[in-house]
Amino acid sequence: MQAPDNRSGNRAREIFGGKPTTFDELVSLAATFQGSNQLDDARRLLEMALFDYSADVDQQTRTNVLRKLILCTYKDPDLPAEVRLQRAEQMLSTVLSEPLNASAEPQSPIIVALAPSLDSFPKLKQDLLGIAGAVQKRRWDIYGQRVHLVRSYQYYQRGYEMGCQNDRAYNAINLAFVLDLLSAQEEGELDHGLAARTMAARVRTEVVAILDPVHEVESEEKYTKLADPDLMKDWWVLLTLAEAWLGLGDYLKAAYWMAAAADLKAQLELDADKKKHIAPWQFETAVRQFAQLARIRARRDGIPPASLETSVAWGALKALLRDSSEEAESFLRGKVGLALSGGGFRASLFHIGLLAKLAEFDVLRHVEVLSCVSGGSILGAYYYLELRKMLQERADAQISRQDYIDLVQRIYKDFLAGVQQNIRLRMLFGWPSNAKIFSLKGSSSSDRLADLYEKELYWRVKDGEQDKPRYLADLRVKPAGEQDSSFNPKYDNWKRHNKVPALILNATSLNTCHNWQFTASFMGEPPPRGIDIEIDANHRLRRMYHKEAPGSYRRDATQPNQSGGVRLGEAVAASACVPGLFDPILLDDLYGTLGKTAEKYRTRLVDGGNYDNQGVASLREQDCTVLIISDACGQTGLSPEPVFGHIGVMMRANDILMSRVREVQYQLLSNLRDAGALQGIMYVHLKKGLQAQTIDWVRCEDPSAYKKPPAKTDYGIREDVQRLLASVRTDLDSFSWLESNALMVSAYRMTEDEWKKCLPFLKTSSAAPATWPFLSLDSTMTADEGTKAAESVPDLKKGLKVAAELAFKPFKLYPALKVASFVIPAVILALWGWATVHYWTALAPVVKFSFFATLGIALLVVIKEAILGRMLRYRNSYLDIFVALIMCSIGWIIFYPYLYMIDPLYIKWGSSIGLRNRQ
């Protein structure tokens, strides 16, 4: 199906705006949108048709419309997961006259009126039972709970018992599939697992007997002719036969009918009647179920996950894909998501090491969703820009493993150069940054950070757009060689070898306490998942496409010469503005439902790590089944003497809360993996492989056995070095050569080791490793005691100990600077004391100055609060104003010598170790 034309889209907007319409027009428009997978608009049109325009329509037609509405509702990705499933369940429970895991909310009288008449339409009832089974199966996909599979089995079984002829075995074939899923979960319960497999085989045998009573492959014909010629023109029937034979383990017949389905699909695409075309989303849904079944069959055949691609079960499925290796590998892997955690530049640099190893493995090309938080957003946005440039310049078939390696090499060089500009210091003390406090009313610390991200980092990506503002709406990837200009990664990625990832920059809304997402398509809060809808009554700030946004936030990528939109730097700053350190990003005049309430929202966004510091929630929301999680956040460490001040205790308590959230989230992912809802998880973090000790009480008579920690972690890094790395600060200042490269080496080695344990079923490149500059530090970080490489370990540990500090790091590394840090303040203090003693009588004017200064401060308070604050919405605090005055007048005299003379000394610290190792 093709996307609706502008006329259909405009007409739908008119109808939603209140223009008169008819039942037939609504149903026709809904079919157009449903065929192109625009299910949100299709659902809204069908709701209007059924509830507002169906009074004079016969019951059968209304019931058919209800069926379409249920389908669009439970599949609608723009509705919260729990909302769409509950709505579908409520409608189904009413028409089926039985509870379906739904709440007791009242239904529309129209739906209630349809319930008694359903028995008059047995075929429709059977169809609705199949949809009920699909809804419960979807619940299992999302939540991984076995009870949903059992409910799905019950509804499919009832539909199956009404006869395979009536629904062309739809309920039967799905019943067999659910039985296989239950059997796979019950491998430890042999009797139950065997019973489920036996029943699945019996059901599939019956399906074959009904649809294909001969079921013999004839060598002189391309494939067997079915007894009913009309069935040969039904694509779903051919797929049903293929799935039945695949489940029975007859891979020759399965491949035969898959080839038949592939031929029919090609014929339909040539047909002028586009209503008969197989929509890409329908094809993808069918093949993903086949892929899951093929994995189950291969496991039963004794095929290890790593060899699945060469199994006969997988070979049968490739017949449906016309032997397309790219498409086959896409379904074999599942949907791969990469999460880059928060943690300032420490996280950014750690993530580079992971990207380097993934590029070596040649798996970066498979990532379909890139979910980023805070420091992960800073790097993730940079990586996305580089990747976008490559995908738009080179056709899919022209991109090689080396291209991804070269891309990460550029990131290593250019991104690190940007980090070494000391963005935090430039924001706090730089003259241009502080001058904006007086020249721009809305220039908060995070807004100034946004400017610096663009100026010091993102301009380094030479994609032809580096000299102009980068707006999110302009960053959608238009892959080279794609004939269809409406390429959508969500629906078209499975056709490509090199996936186009969806970039998600995660922030947190202070208004609603929910996750907020920025993407190249939309911004706003995502639909909730799981039980949060039952316990969270806060309103949600609805997601909007950039072209729908109000006022200055609106931007349509198809329209040239626009001035509005949200900049990439702003989105990254929102994701990375740590509360208490940086001001929230303000999106004013963006939300407010006039006509329903007079209340307007001043949307304030802070660091995405406050909601989900690993970025995992967004991967699950995008239905990723293979999760690669790079976690370099500041994990809570041991404290022999915790802080006791009010602020310190509050911060420590918040760290404990975030640590607990992280732990619970990992437990949830593990449960989903064990239930089969996820294919695999790889989780790397800075404390991977470090061992905890038991601490006994004072004068304990039964001391615990002390376990001496291993000299090295499983991935080869010295244990003492890795512990220091885990304590490196999470900040946005300069990182030395030693800190940067040590973080990258750690992630690089850790990823290689964890991949073998967690994702062995994903094929990796067997080519020789690449030459990475940061590996010049590898021999020192992995050195055994007594070796030559170990001679540099003291310098390495010294640099990493200082790396945990927030300020004055250069002075702690260089003796001369350390002495100067004491001498210079002492001289200044002595001069001040001398001047005070010798010119005491001249200080009388100070009293007068203090009086007028106090009066001036009071006037400043009135001006800021009454005029700047309320009328002009001036956002900077008194401290910001004071610091800006100092820095713009005399502070820069100290700042710039430090930035250009002292900071470079710190940046190069440790580079001599790498030089010695290279020699």
Side-chain angles (χ1 to χ4, degrees):
M1 293 278 185
Q2 292 184 338
D5 55 27
N6 290 334
R7 183 178 177 183
S8 297
N10 292 337
R11 179 55 181 154
R13 301 283 86 74
E14 291 177 355
I15 293 172
F16 294 146
K19 292 294 179 70
T21 182
T22 65
F23 178 87
D24 291 339
E25 183 185 26
L26 288 168
V27 174
S28 176
L29 273 175
T32 301
F33 285 103
Q34 186 178 1
S36 62
N37 211 33
Q38 297 187 28
L39 299 179
D40 182 43
D41 287 334
R43 173 184 58 79
R44 294 170 64 190
L45 291 165
L46 289 170
E47 285 176 346
M48 294 179 66
L50 187 62
F51 301 139
D52 300 331
Y53 290 87
S54 67
D56 299 326
V57 178
D58 64 89
Q59 251 182 350
Q60 183 171 4
T61 302
R62 285 197 297 182
T63 308
N64 283 323
V65 171
L66 175 62
R67 173 191 172 278
K68 295 178 181 179
L69 174 58
I70 294 172
L71 279 173
C72 290
T73 299
Y74 101 83
K75 290 178 175 289
D76 183 2
D78 291 321
L79 280 178
E82 187 63 21
V83 168
R84 66 176 182 256
L85 293 175
Q86 278 196 1
R87 286 186 185 179
E89 288 168 343
Q90 287 164 2
M91 289 185 281
L92 284 164
S93 65
T94 303
V95 296
L96 292 173
S97 301
E98 59 186 79
L100 188 74
N101 190 38
S103 62
E105 294 183 12
Q107 286 293 313
S108 162
I110 292 177
I111 296 179
V112 174
L114 294 175
S117 66
L118 193 59
D119 289 335
S120 303
F121 310 107
K123 186 174 180 180
L124 181 59
K125 182 175 182 178
Q126 186 181 30
D127 191 19
L128 290 174
L129 286 169
I131 295 175
V135 169
Q136 295 304 311
K137 186 170 63 174
R138 181 59 181 151
R139 274 195 175 276
W140 175 79
D141 286 336
I142 296 175
Y143 307 129
Q145 296 183 7
R146 184 177 180 275
V147 63
H148 297 138
L149 275 184
V150 173
R151 288 175 181 159
S152 179
Y153 154 76
Q154 292 169 343
Y155 284 104
Y156 281 135
Q157 184 182 39
R158 289 173 55 191
Y160 158 69
E161 290 172 349
M162 295 180 70
C164 294
Q165 298 91 340
N166 297 328
D167 67 347
R168 299 191 174 180
Y170 171 82
N171 278 279
I173 200 66
N174 283 285
L175 170 63
F177 177 69
V178 170
L179 284 167
D180 275 333
L181 292 177
L182 286 169
S183 174
Q185 287 192 334
E186 297 167 344
E187 290 179 349
E189 306 171 39
L190 296 180
D191 292 339
H192 294 290
L194 181 60
R197 290 197 297 273
T198 301
M199 184 177 178
R202 178 172 59 78
V203 171
R204 290 188 176 112
T205 301
E206 184 178 346
V207 168
V208 170
I210 291 173
L211 295 181
D212 183 17
V214 179
H215 59 262
E216 292 294 339
V217 175
E218 300 177 6
S219 57
E220 66 273 11
E221 295 187 19
K222 193 169 187 182
Y223 38 76
T224 305
K225 303 298 182 184
L226 297 177
D228 184 351
D230 290 338
L231 296 184
M232 291 298 300
K233 301 177 184 178
D234 191 322
W235 188 69
W236 291 106
V237 167
L238 301 182
L239 285 185
T240 299
L241 276 170
E243 183 175 345
W245 286 119
L246 180 63
L248 289 170
D250 193 327
Y251 304 124
L252 175 63
K253 292 187 177 69
Y256 223 73
W257 288 110
M258 288 187 186
D263 288 346
L264 180 58
K265 179 176 179 291
Q267 292 173 16
L268 293 176
E269 289 174 351
L270 297 175
D271 197 316
D273 185 3
K274 298 186 182 300
K275 292 182 179 179
K276 296 181 180 179
H277 288 190
I278 306 301
W281 67 270
Q282 293 175 314
F283 182 75
E284 180 182 3
T285 300
V287 179
R288 288 202 182 280
Q289 178 157 314
F290 284 4
Q292 204 165 2
L293 180 57
R295 281 190 286 269
I296 292 174
R297 286 298 321 182
R299 186 164 60 248
R300 289 182 191 166
D301 294 340
I303 306 297
S307 303
L308 176 59
E309 189 178 3
T310 60
S311 68
V312 287
W314 197 256
L317 178 56
K318 291 176 71 173
L320 178 61
L321 302 172
R322 294 290 185 90
D323 295 320
S324 170
S325 58
E326 288 83 2
E327 295 175 9
E329 288 179 8
S330 180
F331 291 114
L332 173 68
R333 283 184 303 272
K335 190 171 184 179
V336 180
L338 172 61
L340 303 179
S341 80
F345 282 151
R346 179 182 79 175
S348 300
L349 297 166
F350 182 84
H351 300 327
I352 291 177
L354 174 126
L355 292 178
K357 178 50 71 174
L358 295 184
E360 255 185 34
F361 280 163
D362 200 22
V363 296
L364 276 180
R365 66 173 79 243
H366 306 319
V367 173
E368 297 193 51
V369 181
L370 181 61
S371 176
C372 309
V373 182
S374 194
S377 291
I378 299 172
L379 176 77
Y382 196 101
Y383 168 74
Y384 180 83
L385 291 176
E386 286 281 6
L387 183 61
R388 174 175 175 264
K389 175 178 180 291
M390 182 178 75
L391 294 176
Q392 293 188 158
E393 291 178 349
R394 311 197 67 179
D396 194 26
Q398 297 175 337
I399 300 174
S400 67
R401 168 182 179 265
Q402 188 60 44
D403 290 318
Y404 283 93
I405 291 175
D406 293 343
L407 185 153
V408 180
Q409 294 277 22
R410 288 196 300 275
I411 292 177
Y412 170 83
K413 176 185 174 184
D414 297 333
F415 184 84
L416 183 56
V419 168
Q420 291 172 341
Q421 294 302 303
N422 205 328
I423 288 178
R424 183 196 67 175
L425 203 64
R426 289 177 183 272
M427 186 278 296
L428 290 174
F429 303 121
W431 198 95
S433 176
N434 283 284
K436 290 179 180 178
I437 290 179
F438 305 108
S439 61
L440 298 173
K441 68 175 184 180
S443 181
S444 66
S445 58
S446 292
D447 291 302
R448 286 139 56 199
L449 273 177
D451 294 338
L452 287 167
Y453 290 144
E454 294 176 354
K455 179 182 178 182
E456 302 297 341
L457 289 174
Y458 301 133
W459 74 272
R460 297 173 186 273
V461 179
K462 307 302 181 183
D463 57 358
E465 302 174 19
Q466 65 270 20
D467 296 325
K468 58 183 180 181
R470 297 184 187 274
Y471 291 95
L472 284 175
D474 299 337
L475 296 184
R476 294 194 67 172
V477 178
K478 301 172 184 176
E482 290 289 345
Q483 297 179 355
D484 189 354
S485 59
S486 61
F487 176 86
N488 187 329
K490 188 169 185 177
Y491 304 119
D492 302 319
N493 249 341
W494 59 272
K495 304 174 186 177
R496 290 180 55 87
H497 189 45
N498 298 277
K499 310 302 183 187
V500 176
L503 174 67
I504 302 175
L505 304 175
N506 295 279
T508 303
S509 167
L510 288 179
N511 305 76
T512 63
C513 307
H514 295 151
N515 175 223
W516 173 287
Q517 296 175 343
F518 288 101
T519 77
S521 300
F522 60 80
M523 60 181 173
E525 296 180 7
R529 298 176 72 94
I531 64 171
D532 52 355
I533 194 172
E534 298 292 340
I535 61 176
D536 179 10
N538 283 355
H539 299 319
R540 289 193 171 267
L541 301 178
R542 182 183 173 188
R543 287 200 304 204
M544 70 189 79
Y545 291 102
H546 294 297
K547 63 182 180 182
E548 299 173 332
S552 62
Y553 302 104
R554 178 174 298 168
R555 190 171 187 85
D556 187 344
T558 63
Q559 302 297 323
N561 303 321
Q562 297 177 86
S563 58
V566 176
R567 300 193 336 264
L568 175 62
E570 291 175 310
V572 171
S575 179
C577 57
V578 179
L581 296 180
F582 306 115
D583 301 316
I585 285 287
L586 175 63
L587 302 180
D588 213 354
D589 298 324
L590 187 60
Y591 285 94
T593 50
L594 297 177
K596 297 181 182 178
T597 173
E599 185 177 9
K600 279 195 173 184
Y601 290 82
R602 300 193 71 192
T603 309
R604 284 188 169 91
L605 305 177
V606 296
D607 195 304
N610 289 275
Y611 184 88
D612 173 16
N613 205 25
Q614 286 69 45
V616 173
S618 293
L619 295 186
R620 291 292 298 131
E621 192 248 332
Q622 292 294 319
D623 294 325
C624 294
T625 57
V626 177
L627 309 186
I628 302 172
I629 305 166
S630 180
D631 184 6
C633 68
Q635 298 177 37
T636 305
L638 177 69
S639 179
E641 186 176 351
V643 292
F644 57 87
H646 289 254
I647 295 178
V649 170
M650 181 179 66
M651 294 179 65
R652 181 70 174 177
N654 183 70
D655 289 341
I656 295 170
L657 175 62
M658 295 305 297
S659 177
R660 179 59 179 156
V661 170
R662 178 175 178 271
E663 178 183 342
V664 170
Q665 183 166 255
Y666 181 74
Q667 291 173 346
L668 171 62
L669 294 178
S670 297
N671 292 336
L672 289 172
R673 178 195 57 204
D674 295 342
L678 293 177
Q679 288 178 239
I681 310 167
M682 187 185 77
Y683 202 123
V684 296
H685 59 88
L686 281 168
K687 289 191 176 181
K688 177 73 73 174
L690 301 182
Q691 297 182 3
Q693 297 289 345
T694 300
I695 301 175
D696 296 319
W697 59 88
V698 176
R699 291 188 291 275
C700 175
E701 297 180 358
D702 182 22
S704 304
Y706 173 73
K707 283 188 177 182
K708 183 179 180 181
K712 295 183 181 179
T713 62
D714 292 342
Y715 43 94
I717 303 293
R718 290 174 58 105
E719 197 269 354
D720 52 352
V721 169
Q722 188 62 38
R723 281 196 179 276
L724 291 172
L725 271 175
S727 300
V728 171
R729 70 200 177 284
T730 57
D731 209 337
L732 299 176
D733 60 344
S734 297
F735 273 62
S736 70
W737 182 95
L738 183 140
E739 297 167 338
S740 305
N741 287 270
L743 287 165
M744 294 177 203
V745 171
S746 176
Y748 177 86
R749 279 186 155 268
M750 197 183 300
T751 301
E752 181 176 28
D753 184 67
E754 287 297 305
W755 189 277
K756 299 172 186 177
K757 300 175 183 176
C758 304
L759 302 175
F761 58 90
L762 293 185
K763 185 175 67 174
T764 59
S765 172
S766 58
T771 302
W772 301 102
F774 57 78
L775 288 180
S776 61
L777 194 58
D778 181 77
S779 59
T780 302
M781 293 179 64
T782 61
D784 294 317
E785 293 295 343
T787 62
K788 183 174 178 58
E791 295 175 1
S792 300
V793 170
D795 286 339
L796 171 65
K797 293 171 70 173
K798 178 181 178 181
L800 292 180
K801 286 178 182 177
V802 171
E805 304 293 333
L806 294 178
F808 306 112
K809 291 180 290 296
F811 299 95
K812 297 174 182 179
L813 287 175
Y814 293 93
L817 290 178
K818 189 173 184 178
V819 172
S821 67
F822 288 101
V823 172
I824 294 176
V827 170
I828 294 175
L829 186 61
L831 289 174
W832 178 262
W834 177 82
T836 301
V837 171
H838 286 76
Y839 297 98
W840 177 256
T841 56
L843 293 178
V846 173
V847 178
K848 297 181 181 179
F849 174 79
S850 299
F851 172 78
F852 287 108
T854 302
L855 186 63
I857 290 173
L859 182 62
L860 177 63
V861 170
V862 173
I863 293 175
K864 181 181 183 300
E865 295 298 327
I867 300 177
L868 296 179
R870 296 184 182 180
M871 296 178 60
L872 299 181
R873 295 184 175 179
Y874 186 75
R875 296 159 54 192
N876 292 290
S877 67
Y878 299 117
L879 179 61
D880 292 331
I881 297 172
F882 177 75
V883 171
L885 283 170
I886 297 299
M887 296 310 302
C888 288
S889 56
I890 61 173
W892 58 271
I893 299 175
I894 301 173
F895 164 70
Y896 284 106
Y898 178 89
L899 186 66
Y900 293 110
M901 297 174 63
I902 297 177
D903 211 35
L905 294 175
Y906 179 72
I907 289 172
K908 74 175 185 178
W909 173 265
S911 58
S912 59
I913 299 176
L915 182 60
R916 288 197 300 269
N917 290 341
R918 283 193 293 268
Q919 293 174 345

